[in-house]
Amino acid sequence: MSKTIAVFGAGTGLGASVARKFGREGYRVALVARRREPLELLAGQLAEEGIEAAVFTADLLHTAEIPALVAAIRQRFGRIDVVEYSPISTALLFTAAAELTIYRLRDLVNLYLLTPVELVRTVLPEMLERGDGGILIGHGPTAVEPVPYLSGVGPVMAAMRNYVYSLHGELAHKGVYAGTLLVGAAVERSAGHQAMVAGDLELDLPPDIEIPVVDPDDLADRCWHLYTKRDQVEEIYPPLPGAAHH
């Protein structure tokens, strides 16, 4: 049976590129995001490229729905071999730490901590039973190197990063990889980057902070390298000025 990757947060940027990369390597692809129409468009494009894909709509803020979502993916494909989790919400972007509230944190905690932890809990038993599998988490480098005015997601992702490190140490000798790619840039073709280019998304950043732009195909290659080589827990790309490599 062919292997399957489930891409959670399958947008037009990183998610689409990860789907293509793994699909070209022989994986079937489960595409998960909130809106059906963009997912079906992506699934059609993948089918034209010879990649089998299926669409699953879900709001990843709703952690309690994860077990049923995973069950639906298993029913369609029979198995889940790799999970890639990198949803991005332009409504939940950076906040100055001095302006952060518990109300803003609640959705961030659901999306970037509680839901991925529940996802791991749900898919891990079958991976451990086979002695093979992968969990890839997409983050931002402020999880490692806090930056003034770029708070909000950082504290929550720092907690998830801590979890991934522990998970990696517990699972590596059991054949299951857990790791994270921390992307310190706007991702070409993503909804966020398109909104920035159109002027619909303005970030209130200090003038000395510039956000670089990266190609999602390059990021997908890095995800594949992390999963197949399994010789590092994380990669920061590109690194923030002054950020340490881990």
Side-chain angles (χ1 to χ4, degrees):
M1 181 181 292
S2 299
K3 291 185 176 183
T4 302
I5 181 172
V7 180
F8 291 80
T12 54
L14 177 58
S17 289
V18 167
R20 282 192 168 86
K21 175 62 180 178
F22 278 76
R24 289 167 180 164
E25 297 291 344
Y27 283 69
R28 302 170 302 171
V29 183
L31 301 169
V32 183
R34 285 185 300 172
R35 296 187 297 140
R36 175 169 294 277
E37 186 176 352
L39 287 179
E40 290 182 342
L41 177 61
L42 176 57
Q45 293 170 347
L46 294 174
E48 292 176 357
E49 299 169 25
I51 298 169
E52 181 181 352
V55 166
F56 302 85
T57 57
D59 187 339
L60 298 175
L61 286 172
H62 300 158
T63 303
E65 298 177 5
I66 289 299
L69 174 60
V70 169
I73 296 172
R74 284 187 179 132
Q75 184 176 19
R76 169 62 176 81
F77 288 108
R79 59 191 286 164
I80 298 174
D81 297 273
V82 181
V83 162
E84 193 275 334
Y85 188 93
S86 58
I88 296 295
S89 171
T90 54
L92 297 174
L93 286 175
F94 305 114
T95 302
E99 299 173 4
L100 192 59
T101 67
I102 61 171
Y103 305 103
R104 188 171 182 82
L105 274 174
R106 285 174 181 170
D107 283 347
L108 290 169
V109 167
N110 277 357
L111 187 61
Y112 295 116
L113 181 61
L114 300 185
T115 291
V117 168
E118 178 67 359
L119 179 58
V120 170
R121 187 196 68 81
T122 308
V123 302
L124 189 56
E126 68 172 309
M127 293 182 180
L128 290 174
E129 183 177 351
R130 287 196 299 266
D132 185 38
I135 297 160
L136 296 164
I137 306 293
H139 276 160
T142 54
V144 178
E145 193 78 10
V147 178
Y149 302 97
L150 300 185
S151 189
V153 292
V156 180
M157 288 181 170
M160 187 61 193
R161 176 177 178 265
N162 178 290
Y163 168 78
V164 171
Y165 261 82
S166 296
L167 198 63
H168 178 91
E170 295 168 14
L171 300 180
H173 67 286
K174 299 179 180 180
V176 179
Y177 173 77
T180 180
L181 177 66
L182 297 96
V183 182
V187 180
E188 285 183 346
R189 301 191 294 278
S190 69
H193 182 245
Q194 290 170 3
M196 290 172 63
V197 171
D200 298 328
L201 176 63
E202 294 185 6
L203 301 178
D204 186 17
L205 304 179
D208 60 327
I209 293 180
E210 295 184 3
I211 298 180
V213 178
V214 295
D215 186 334
D217 292 343
D218 187 20
L219 299 178
D221 287 341
R222 292 172 186 276
C223 286
W224 178 256
H225 182 274
L226 284 169
Y227 170 61
T228 56
K229 298 300 182 183
R230 305 191 177 197
D231 56 357
Q232 60 190 108
V233 186
E234 71 177 18
E235 180 179 358
I236 304 172
Y237 181 81
L240 286 176
H245 291 274
H246 294 261

